[in-house]
């Protein structure tokens, strides 16, 4: 009986000597979000169902070691944080040479159509204009006040036009940051604080549909636009960002041909546009699945 008691006491001692299992801490990914439907939807019945919102959810479900945390930051604010070497990722970044100095990139989504339109609440701005408005010619007209976002990329051709805008051009405003999201600019144009801006057609359509039947914003295609573009995941150019981009790039190679991923990429896309751009979309999925598509050195 004594030996038995000693034996059980020994087993109990061994059990107590074992350290408790530690729960592995997840690595946080600060994720930039802004008010910009249909890419980010922050309120209403479709909250968190925007195109980039859905892609974010897919990443989080598959990156078991990471926890994504929303941070209110438009692209100018995100760039400021990159410059300060603060960890943050954007899921809707266009890649430019300047941004490549600050962040690592991997192809996240193919956007069709990604055509810019002139946005105005003043019909006179569009009087006599052709089906496609030349932004180059419009910004020369000092009768109308335009507003743009500094450090937002509008595509290479438009970026070159805006690079020449200086403080002496009082009829043009470059806002340094739009913390409330790009939707706030459309509200300014609607209230006629500015005469025009440019934005993606899908974003303006979403704005007008929310305030149906008023639909106060008028649009016209912009000549210097481009029909499609790649939205990248872009993370701070440091060891943390390098590791995140590598992980995501590997994950996207596996997910690119899945229905879940493709439904997210094509969400909020009109059926006729899906059909029209089917070949381009399928080519993107195939290339995304074939191998690395990132700026991180392999």
């Amino acid at each position: 009986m004594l030996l038995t008691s000693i034996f059980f006491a020994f087993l109990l001692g061994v059990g107590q000597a074992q350290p408790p299992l530690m729960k592995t801490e997840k690595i946080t990914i600060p994720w930039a979000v802004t008010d910009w439907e249909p890419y980010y939807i922050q309120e209403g019945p479709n909250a968190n169902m925007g195109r980039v919102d859905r892609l974010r959810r897919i990443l989080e479900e598959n990156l078991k070691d990471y926890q994504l945390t929303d941070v209110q930051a438009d692209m100018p604010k995100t760039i400021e944080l990159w410059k300060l070497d603060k960890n943050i990722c954007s899921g809707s970044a266009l890649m430019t040479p300047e941004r490549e100095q600050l962040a690592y990139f991997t192809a996240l989504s193919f956007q069709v159509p990604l055509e810019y339109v002139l946005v105005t609440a003043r019909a006179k701005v569009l009087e006599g204009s052709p089906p496609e408005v030349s932004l180059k010619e419009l910004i020369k007209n000092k009768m109308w006040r335009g507003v743009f976002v500094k450090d937002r990329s509008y595509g290479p051709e438009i970026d070159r036009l805006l690079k020449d805008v200086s403080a002496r051009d009082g009829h043009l405003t470059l806002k340094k940051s739009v913390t409330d999201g790009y939707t706030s600019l459309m509200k300014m144009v609607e209230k006629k604080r500015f005469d025009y801006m440019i934005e993606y057609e899908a974003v303006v359509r979403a704005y007008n549909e929310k305030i149906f039947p008023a639909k106060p914003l008028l649009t016209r295609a912009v000549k210097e636009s481009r029909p499609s573009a790649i939205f990248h995941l872009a993370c701070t150019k440091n060891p943390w960002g390098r590791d995140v981009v590598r992980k995501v790039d590997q994950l996207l190679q596996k997910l690119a041909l899945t229905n879940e991923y493709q439904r997210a990429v094509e969400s909020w896309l009109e059926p006729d546009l899906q059909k029209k751009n089917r070949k381009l979309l399928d080519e993107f999925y195939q290339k995304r699945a074939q191998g690395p598509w990132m700026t991180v050195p392999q």
Side-chain angles (χ1 to χ4, degrees):
M1 188 68 178
L2 179 61
L3 289 175
T4 302
S5 300
I6 294 172
F7 178 69
F8 278 112
F10 171 76
L11 288 180
L12 182 60
V14 170
Q16 290 176 338
Q18 300 301 313
L21 291 174
M22 299 298 290
K23 189 175 181 180
T24 305
E25 285 288 331
K26 289 190 174 184
I27 300 169
T28 299
I29 299 178
W31 182 268
V33 298
T34 190
D35 183 11
W36 197 34
E37 297 186 25
Y39 303 106
Y40 303 90
I41 302 178
Q42 298 191 309
E43 57 184 23
N46 295 314
N48 301 316
M49 290 299 293
R51 192 175 297 171
V52 181
D53 295 328
R54 291 180 62 167
L55 290 165
R56 171 204 188 281
R57 199 153 48 247
I58 291 172
L59 295 182
E60 188 164 38
E61 288 170 356
N62 288 275
L63 293 171
K64 302 302 184 184
D65 296 332
Y66 290 87
Q67 173 71 48
L68 278 68
T69 304
D70 288 349
V71 177
Q72 286 291 329
D74 61 359
M75 185 50 65
K77 179 63 177 178
T78 301
I79 290 173
E80 285 181 20
L81 293 171
W82 287 343
K83 288 179 178 177
L84 294 171
D85 198 36
K86 301 293 185 181
N87 293 345
I88 191 167
C89 294
S90 168
S92 56
L94 298 184
M95 189 162 62
T96 69
E98 295 79 12
R99 294 177 183 182
E100 282 191 82
Q101 302 301 312
L102 303 171
Y104 290 116
F105 288 76
T106 184
L108 178 62
S109 176
F110 188 68
Q111 305 299 314
V112 292
L114 208 64
E115 295 175 315
Y116 282 108
V117 291
L118 180 76
V119 184
T120 183
R122 296 184 184 274
K124 285 188 176 181
V125 174
L126 301 177
E127 279 184 2
S129 62
E132 282 191 338
V133 175
S134 170
L135 186 63
K136 182 178 181 180
E137 296 303 316
L138 181 63
I139 60 179
K140 294 177 183 177
N141 188 341
K142 298 191 176 183
M143 180 185 298
W144 307 119
R145 297 181 63 230
V147 59
F148 303 88
V149 180
K150 182 178 174 62
D151 288 333
R152 174 181 175 178
S153 177
Y154 294 92
E157 190 168 354
I158 295 175
D159 287 351
R160 281 193 293 272
L161 289 175
L162 296 180
K163 204 168 186 180
D164 297 329
V165 174
S166 65
R168 71 175 184 276
D169 296 312
H171 67 300
L172 298 175
T173 298
L174 290 180
K175 293 188 73 66
K176 291 183 179 180
S177 185
V178 191
T179 53
D180 294 334
Y182 300 139
T183 299
S184 64
L185 286 188
M186 290 189 285
K187 291 178 181 176
M188 292 178 189
V189 171
E190 180 191 345
K191 294 176 182 177
K192 299 181 181 178
R193 290 175 57 188
F194 297 98
D195 297 316
Y196 71 90
M197 60 179 286
I198 60 172
E199 185 52 271
Y200 295 142
E201 186 277 335
V203 175
V204 186
R205 178 159 31 91
Y207 182 87
N208 274 339
E209 287 175 356
K210 281 185 73 174
I211 47 182
F212 178 85
K215 295 189 177 181
L217 298 179
L218 309 171
T219 63
R220 190 66 58 87
V222 172
K223 183 179 180 181
E224 293 86 358
S225 184
R226 56 182 177 181
S228 60
I230 294 171
F231 272 9
H232 293 82
L233 172 79
C235 303
T236 313
K237 198 168 189 177
N238 59 21
W240 172 87
R242 176 199 62 209
D243 293 344
V244 172
V245 167
R246 278 179 176 164
K247 284 271 189 184
V248 171
D249 189 85
Q250 293 169 2
L251 176 61
L252 291 174
Q253 291 175 49
K254 299 175 182 177
L255 295 176
L257 300 181
T258 66
N259 289 333
E260 183 185 19
Y261 171 77
Q262 294 180 13
R263 281 197 300 268
V265 171
E266 297 175 31
S267 59
W268 303 102
L269 191 59
E270 297 292 322
D272 60 326
L273 291 173
Q274 285 182 331
K275 184 177 180 181
K276 179 181 177 181
N277 293 281
R278 185 78 268 149
K279 185 173 183 292
L280 289 172
L281 285 162
D282 289 344
E283 286 174 352
F284 170 77
Y285 299 140
Q286 290 295 331
K287 183 176 179 181
R288 178 64 278 192
Q290 283 174 2
W293 191 347
M294 60 182 176
T295 61
V296 177
Q298 296 181 42

